[in-house]
Amino acid sequence: MLAARFPGILPAMSEDEALEAAAVQSLNGGFRFEHWKRRPFRAPHHTASAVALVGGGGNPRPGEISLAHHGVLFLDELPEFSRQVLEVLREPLETGRITISRAARQADFPARFQLVAAMNPCPCGYLGHPTQACRDTPDQITRYRGRISGPLLDRIDIQISVPALTQDELMQAGAGEASVAIRERVQAARGRQMARQGKPNAALGTQEIDRHCMLDAASEALLKQAIVRLNLSARAYHRVLKLARSVADLAGSDAITSSHLAEAIQYRRGAA
């Protein structure tokens, strides 16, 4: 449900983004005029083949990865997808493009999407449940989580563990917030990014990160501790800084404080 609502809180599509998304969808005959400037939402089943997800064929056509261009790609039951298919995600998550090579020709499709994935904590799904005991052994749980490689997890900036609700929590009506209200905050944060650097934080290069994601002394000390304790890679280091910059933008802050950085680091260790 959260993944399906996600396109509703993303910033409005620009004219160029809408044209790019429509052009890709038109290659598969899937574009509809009533969907103009509506961010795509793709949710392939975990039994989908590599060709369906990545694209291909004698005359290469875009797959789900490219059809989600400028939108959301939702992968439910992430460990159930083929390992080969999941590893293909690494290139587009890094470059925003996917290259399909065949004997007759080579095709290059855009694939800049927001990846949202979900998985159970263990094969039976009850690890950490407040009332139901988990039936899996530690070895089974390790093998289950091991289906997702470290390099792929390293490219997922926000990893959140969602515990099961108790009976009282489930029956209690929660105070929700409309997507429109959240979208206004996201639009304001995107506006700050475009005014400051002319591009979203996710698109910042290494030198731009050094310029726009500067830390104070307290934040630098915190990040050094996180690098050692969490064994952060160079990629994770830059992604934490960009995420902290986004957290600061959502808070309306010009500077990244230690609280913004701590929140970004916390998301990086959520799945553990």
Side-chain angles (χ1 to χ4, degrees), residues 6-18:
F6 201 85
I9 68 171
L10 292 176
M13 297 182 78
S14 66
E15 198 77 16
D16 290 341
E17 288 177 337

Side-chain angles (χ1 to χ4, degrees), residues 53-241:
L53 195 65
V54 178
N59 183 21
R61 296 296 183 106
E64 295 289 341
I65 289 176
S66 295
L67 294 175
H69 185 52
H70 291 314
V72 176
L73 176 67
F74 176 51
L75 302 182
D76 198 10
E77 302 294 345
L78 187 64
E80 302 299 335
F81 281 84
S82 164
R83 178 69 174 259
Q84 178 186 3
V85 171
L86 291 180
E87 291 307 296
V88 176
L89 287 171
R90 289 159 60 174
E91 178 192 349
L93 284 174
E94 199 72 35
T95 65
R97 308 195 69 81
I98 182 73
T99 301
I100 302 172
S101 298
R102 296 293 182 266
R105 57 174 299 186
Q106 177 176 299
D108 191 43
F109 296 115
R112 192 168 295 281
F113 54 87
Q114 181 73 56
L115 174 65
V116 180
M119 62 178 287
N120 287 315
C122 63
C124 76
Y126 288 111
L127 182 65
H129 196 278
T131 59
Q132 183 74 32
C134 176
R135 305 189 304 266
D136 303 310
T137 65
D139 187 52
Q140 288 175 319
I141 296 173
T142 300
R143 286 202 306 270
Y144 176 75
R145 295 186 176 186
R147 296 177 187 176
I148 306 171
S149 69
L152 178 58
L153 277 176
D154 203 36
R155 290 168 168 82
I156 300 178
D157 297 339
I158 300 178
Q159 303 169 21
I160 301 176
S161 178
V162 183
L165 298 176
T166 64
Q167 185 180 33
D168 292 338
E169 290 172 332
L170 194 60
M171 299 183 68
Q172 182 180 2
E177 187 175 12
S179 296
V180 175
I182 302 174
R183 188 179 188 180
E184 290 178 356
R185 296 200 301 270
V186 175
Q187 289 272 37
R190 174 61 67 90
R192 295 176 66 90
Q193 296 169 23
M194 301 305 291
R196 181 178 59 243
Q197 65 223 12
K199 62 175 69 173
N201 292 334
L204 292 175
T206 304
Q207 294 183 349
E208 292 170 320
I209 292 174
D210 295 337
R211 184 162 62 252
H212 298 296
C213 303
M214 298 181 62
L215 303 177
D216 55 25
S219 299
E220 284 187 356
L222 177 62
L223 185 54
K224 287 179 181 178
Q225 292 180 12
I227 292 173
V228 174
R229 294 184 180 182
L230 301 180
N231 195 25
L232 297 181
S233 65
R235 178 186 296 109
Y237 165 76
H238 287 130
R239 285 176 173 267
V240 165
L241 285 175

